[in-house]
Amino acid sequence: GAGVSQSPSNKVTEKGKDVELRCDPISGHTALYWYRQRLGQGLEFLIYFQGNSAPDKSGLPSDRFSAERTGESVSTLTIQRTQQEDSAVYLCASTLRYFGPGTRLTVL
Amino acid sequence: RKEVEQDPGPFNVPEGATVAFNCTYSNSASQSFFWYRQDCRKEPKLLMSVYSSGNEDGRFTAQLNRASQYISLLIRDSKLSDSATYLCVVINYDKVIFGPGTSLSVIP
């Protein structure tokens, strides 16, 4: 089915490396959210895109985190100089109804 | 005070029992409310919306109390498959806040 997809599903990286996570939302959905979920914890809001409006970046934890979205299509979340505390599952949601399966990031 | 609070549980209930969860929110201007369920190591899935007039979907009933700033979820005739973490979500304009979740285990 045409749900939300994310890639990679798992990513293991070394501390200090940059990573790029991808989200393919459901076609036609204007709203896209990124969340982070650390093991055993709740969802932390990171960033929200709505159509061509300026994104709400209020949840990004540091300037190492950035996200882009071209129009109403694919979004990428980039984490520069990864740290061990960045280890988490990164979830993308297309509107609030449909979440992707997430990318499990492990920073060694 | 956290913006959205939930009793983390766990709630351990026998099959067939009725169980209720509450979720409190701090911003009286919050506009929309939802319940999600999240199975272990899976993405959240929208369960139902919450209205002041109440919302019922089969064995599930959700209610909003604006005066006391809480939302509730009632599950009747619990099934083993109801075992999950239940997340309440509060929307303030474009800000979407997930509660930390309440863990439910339904025991045979």
Side-chain angles (χ1 to χ4, degrees):
Chain A
V4 180
S5 60
Q6 291 186 245
S7 61
S9 55
N10 279 285
K11 176 72 176 178
V12 180
T13 190
E14 293 178 347
K15 178 180 171 181
K17 300 281 189 185
D18 298 351
V19 295
E20 190 172 278
L21 313 180
R22 177 186 169 111
C23 172
D24 283 86
I26 293 171
S27 178
H29 284 190
T30 58
L32 186 149
Y33 301 82
W34 281 99
Y35 285 86
R36 175 170 73 178
Q37 188 171 33
R38 292 193 170 109
L39 186 65
Q41 298 189 23
L43 275 74
E44 286 178 76
F45 167 74
L46 296 178
I47 189 168
Y48 163 56
F49 294 91
Q50 175 60 56
N52 293 317
S53 302
D56 175 359
K57 302 181 181 180
S58 59
L60 294 178
S62 77
D63 58 8
R64 297 186 294 105
F65 287 72
S66 62
E68 291 183 352
R69 187 184 188 195
T70 305
E72 297 177 359
S73 61
V74 171
S75 176
T76 55
L77 176 69
T78 302
I79 308 173
Q80 295 177 308
R81 304 180 303 282
T82 51
Q83 303 295 310
Q84 288 183 330
E85 64 262 27
D86 298 335
S87 296
V89 174
Y90 289 81
L91 291 158
C92 167
S94 179
T95 73
L96 285 176
R97 186 172 183 84
Y98 305 101
F99 274 81
T103 293
R104 185 172 300 277
L105 175 66
T106 303
V107 182
L108 301 177
Chain B
R1 182 184 172 188
K2 291 184 179 176
E3 291 183 271
V4 180
E5 295 191 83
Q6 295 182 252
D7 181 344
F11 284 63
N12 298 315
V13 302
E15 268 187 292
T18 295
V19 61
F21 309 133
N22 279 346
C23 166
T24 58
Y25 60 96
S26 60
N27 188 336
S28 60
S30 300
Q31 297 104 31
S32 305
F33 309 87
F34 302 88
W35 282 103
Y36 284 70
R37 73 170 276 166
Q38 185 173 27
D39 294 282
C40 188
R41 300 175 77 87
K42 297 282 191 180
E43 70 273 20
K45 292 189 188 297
L46 179 63
L47 186 62
M48 59 198 307
S49 304
V50 189
Y51 309 113
S52 296
S53 55
N55 187 17
E56 186 171 322
D57 183 3
R59 298 182 293 108
F60 297 80
T61 300
Q63 189 77 49
L64 165 64
N65 185 317
R66 283 197 181 272
S68 301
Q69 293 181 212
Y70 76 83
I71 65 174
S72 63
L73 177 68
L74 182 77
I75 306 175
R76 290 180 297 277
D77 188 23
S78 300
K79 310 291 184 192
L80 295 177
S81 58
D82 294 334
S83 297
T85 296
Y86 289 83
L87 308 168
C88 73
V89 173
V90 175
I91 298 182
N92 304 326
Y93 301 97
D94 291 337
K95 195 173 178 186
V96 179
I97 306 159
F98 279 76
T102 296
S103 175
L104 172 66
S105 289
V106 180
I107 304 163

